[in-house]
Amino acid sequence: MRVIAKSSLVKFWSRPEYADSKGALQSWLDESSKADWLTPQDIKRQYGNASICGNNRVVFNIAGNKYRLVVEMQYRAGIVWVKFIGTHAHYNQINVENVNEY
């Protein structure tokens, strides 16, 4: 898959208060870049705790569920578009289906 807005992830883990997310986000990025997800079921096979949401959004739990990553999937084009990364508290304030923070 082609991951769009990688810089958003780097910017997030570069902040001192979120530095502990770096390893988990890098692992997710590496795995996602090598993946060939054609359906939501493909994602669930690899990430059983991922949440499939409306508007082609998927929520991944990062760093032991400390952070949430929201992406928009464009399966036919092979694109994973980063839409949000943040803490649970911040995640609870967004609408997953239309967030476009990054």
Side-chain angles (χ1 to χ4, degrees):
M1 303 298 292
R2 183 170 159 224
V3 180
I4 305 290
K6 293 176 193 173
S7 62
S8 300
L9 301 179
V10 174
K11 186 181 353 178
F12 184 79
W13 78 53
S14 295
R15 294 176 59 183
E17 64 269 34
Y18 305 130
D20 63 336
S21 69
K22 183 177 181 178
L25 284 171
Q26 283 182 317
S27 293
W28 177 88
L29 187 56
D30 290 344
E31 292 169 8
S32 298
S33 297
K34 295 173 185 171
D36 188 22
W37 295 324
L38 301 176
T39 67
Q41 293 76 23
D42 293 337
I43 295 172
K44 290 294 279 184
R45 272 192 285 280
Q46 188 168 355
Y47 291 97
N49 63 357
S51 299
I52 308 300
C53 304
N55 201 21
N56 292 320
R57 300 297 173 100
V58 179
V59 180
F60 294 92
N61 298 320
I62 302 295
N65 207 19
K66 186 172 181 181
Y67 304 104
R68 291 285 178 98
L69 171 64
V70 178
V71 302
E72 178 183 322
M73 297 300 303
Q74 296 177 10
Y75 296 101
R76 287 185 185 169
I79 293 173
V80 178
W81 196 305
V82 175
K83 296 294 182 176
F84 169 87
I85 178 68
T87 65
H88 268 275
H90 194 193
Y91 171 82
N92 289 337
Q93 298 173 1
I94 67 166
N95 180 327
V96 170
E97 293 185 15
N98 65 20
V99 68
N100 196 20
E101 195 163 301
Y102 295 104

